[in-house]
Amino acid sequence: MIFRQLFEAQTSTYSYLLACKRTRRAVLIDTVATEIDHYIALLESLDLQLVFTLETHLHADPITGAGLLREKLGSKSVVHRDAGAQCADLMVTDGVTLQVGELEFEVRHTPGHTGGCVSYVMADRVFSGDALLIDGCGRTDFQQGNAAQLYDSITGKLFSLPPDTLVYPGHDYHGNTVSTIKQEVAKNSRLGGGRSREDFIAIMQSLNLAYPKYIDQALPANHSCGSAAALG
Ligand SMILES: [Fe+2]
């Protein structure tokens, strides 16, 4: 397997490149529109063909590069059925498996940050988007956010993965790059250490977070896969 973790500093977003060594077929998870020249150069240098752009959800901050990559490379954009992106090529639901060469991605519906959030499980790792972050979780106060639902998603669909599963989140604001399920079950300050659903809901209700900086531009653009028209 070929694997790269990519970071976009303005929105502290992680994107991921995964590819099958044998077939050279590749996916990018949670792309950022401003980075597409970098992705294309990277794909070319590794001799890879981009098959899918996978979205963990419709972001409030970075604008997705899915539409631009589809125009330039013919890749297909994948989102959950409830994400609200009618422009996507493939609407997935819980339990769907995507095959990319020898790589298999299992879709787990993990709503709560947004209604259409998914995590992608691939072999020994999970791409948890903004559901489970390292020592944190996504906010639940907009985009159909629901703290009770997020608790159930994380404890039911992610904490049940094998303890050594690597956790690759959608963002990190503290310089962390990767965690494990074991580490988050034990130490996540919002849900780890056996914290109760009621405690978690109380924590989420008391956060008083600022309005997301780029949401007014990013959300409308992301509903149309961040296409060139929407960006203009
Ligand atoms: Fe998000």
Side-chain angles (χ1 to χ4, degrees):
M1 175 182 64
I2 295 163
F3 175 67
R4 298 285 189 280
Q5 182 175 33
L6 310 165
F7 188 64
E8 193 282 316
Q10 197 184 6
T11 57
S12 299
T13 298
Y14 281 126
S15 307
Y16 300 93
L17 169 73
L18 294 108
C20 167
K21 261 188 170 166
R22 194 177 61 80
T23 62
R24 315 310 291 179
R25 291 164 75 81
V27 306
L28 280 164
I29 298 177
D30 287 342
T31 58
V32 179
T34 52
E35 300 292 294
I36 67 155
D37 289 343
H38 174 57
Y39 304 142
I40 292 171
L42 184 60
L43 289 159
E44 276 174 10
S45 73
L46 294 168
D47 186 29
L48 300 174
Q49 181 206 351
L50 185 66
V51 178
F52 294 126
T53 52
L54 308 181
E55 307 288 343
T56 57
H57 66 298
L58 243 61
H59 293 273
D61 30 24
I63 295 175
T64 178
L68 293 168
L69 288 163
R70 174 168 58 195
E71 282 167 31
K72 288 181 187 281
L73 303 179
S75 50
K76 301 215 178 307
S77 69
V78 179
V79 300
H80 187 267
R81 185 182 58 189
D82 299 342
Q86 298 309 320
C87 53
D89 299 291
L90 201 56
M91 307 277 183
V92 291
T93 53
D94 190 70
V96 165
T97 298
L98 297 164
Q99 187 85 34
V100 180
E102 292 172 350
L103 310 186
E104 261 184 19
F105 295 83
E106 179 204 335
V107 175
R108 294 198 178 193
H109 188 206
T110 47
H113 169 60
T114 75
C117 281
V118 298
S119 299
Y120 296 97
V121 178
M122 204 287 295
D124 63 348
R125 57 200 66 199
V126 58
F127 300 91
S128 54
D130 294 4
L132 178 61
L133 302 178
I134 298 174
D135 194 23
C137 65
R139 61 195 292 175
T140 55
D141 55 340
F142 63 98
Q143 284 183 278
Q144 314 95 45
N146 181 317
Q149 201 177 38
L150 184 60
Y151 183 89
D152 293 343
S153 291
I154 294 174
T155 57
K157 299 257 181 75
L158 300 178
F159 282 1
S160 55
L161 287 162
D164 291 337
T165 305
L166 299 168
V167 176
Y168 285 104
H171 299 278
D172 193 89
Y173 306 94
H174 310 288
N176 303 300
T177 53
V178 62
S179 178
T180 62
I181 289 295
K182 187 178 177 181
Q183 181 179 325
E184 296 310 314
V185 168
K187 296 203 172 130
N188 188 294
S189 51
R190 292 190 187 160
L191 315 97
R195 195 182 284 284
S196 73
R197 197 169 187 255
E198 290 66 35
D199 280 1
F200 175 72
I201 293 168
I203 290 171
M204 296 310 287
Q205 280 170 348
S206 65
L207 290 179
N208 286 322
L209 297 167
Y211 191 67
K213 243 197 251 173
Y214 307 104
I215 190 170
D216 292 328
Q217 300 86 45
L219 255 192
N222 286 336
H223 278 288
S224 43
C225 294
S227 69
L231 284 168

